[in-house]
Amino acid sequence: MEAVVIFESLTGNTAKAGYAIAAGLSERGLPTSAFPMTQIDYQALSNADVVILGSWVDGLLLVGQRPGRLGRIRALPALAGKRTIVFLTYAIDPGRALTKMSDAATALGAEVLGGQLIRRDKLASGVADFVDRVLQVTVDA
Ligand SMILES: Cc1cc2nc3c(=O)[nH]c(=O)nc-3n(C[C@H](O)[C@H](O)[C@H](O)COP(=O)(O)O)c2cc1C
């Protein structure tokens, strides 16, 4: 089994989380590579049994939150049948952005197994929780 992390990042937090998630999963026995959304290795994506999609929360801090660059996420290649887990990094209030992220993945044909918010000032603990969660849902599934 192999996984890929595909992330969108404006100021670096989600990139940092994405690479840390890939390293954490690889260390725990699930070989995982990570790519920015604009530089996807399509062969790796095609081979992946598990896809992790990450972005950041974009909004007016308390209203109108959505995944950053949602248009780019919606234009990703089809994820038909791929077991997928989503995550978003955020600052204060993510609103309903995580649901919108899951909906975008579902629209690409992904089988969404879960999603998690990672607060940008608690990146390390959020990443550790996320890695545990990915292993739980993919091993049990
Ligand atoms: C234009 C912009 C809008 C943002 N809006 C929100 C928001 O509505 N709610 C929130 O909790 N964080 C918001 N943030 C904070 C980011 O979601 C947070 O810093 C995130 O970790 C950024 O990820 P990145 O470094 O990968 O770009 C916003 C950041 C930017 C740049």
Side-chain angles (χ1 to χ4, degrees):
M1 195 158 82
E2 286 174 40
V4 293
V5 180
I6 294 171
F7 62 80
E8 155 59 35
S9 183
L10 185 66
T11 60
N13 297 325
T14 316
K16 197 170 164 189
Y19 289 122
I21 288 165
L25 288 171
S26 298
E27 266 169 34
R28 305 262 305 265
L30 177 57
T32 305
S33 35
F35 307 99
M37 222 163 261
T38 50
Q39 294 168 40
I40 299 172
D41 177 333
Y42 292 100
Q43 191 61 52
L45 176 58
S46 157
N47 291 344
D49 305 289
V50 174
V51 175
I52 292 152
L53 271 189
S55 187
W56 47 281
V57 173
D58 183 9
L60 301 173
L61 288 182
L62 297 176
V63 293
Q65 296 95 331
R66 66 210 297 268
R69 305 234 169 89
L70 183 55
R72 198 176 269 178
I73 297 166
R74 288 182 171 144
L76 283 171
L79 298 176
K82 298 277 189 195
R83 289 186 287 161
T84 300
I85 303 106
V86 301
F87 75 94
L88 293 174
T89 68
Y90 74 105
I92 298 165
D93 183 349
R96 287 177 37 79
L98 190 63
T99 305
K100 293 175 186 171
M101 186 73 171
S102 296
D103 289 350
T106 302
L108 292 167
E111 182 195 343
V112 180
L113 300 179
Q116 191 175 314
L117 293 160
I118 299 178
R119 215 177 134 117
R120 71 177 181 194
D121 57 356
K122 293 180 181 154
L123 226 48
S125 61
V127 163
D129 288 348
F130 187 78
V131 165
D132 284 345
R133 185 135 170 219
V134 169
L135 292 170
Q136 269 166 22
V137 295
T138 53
V139 169
D140 293 346

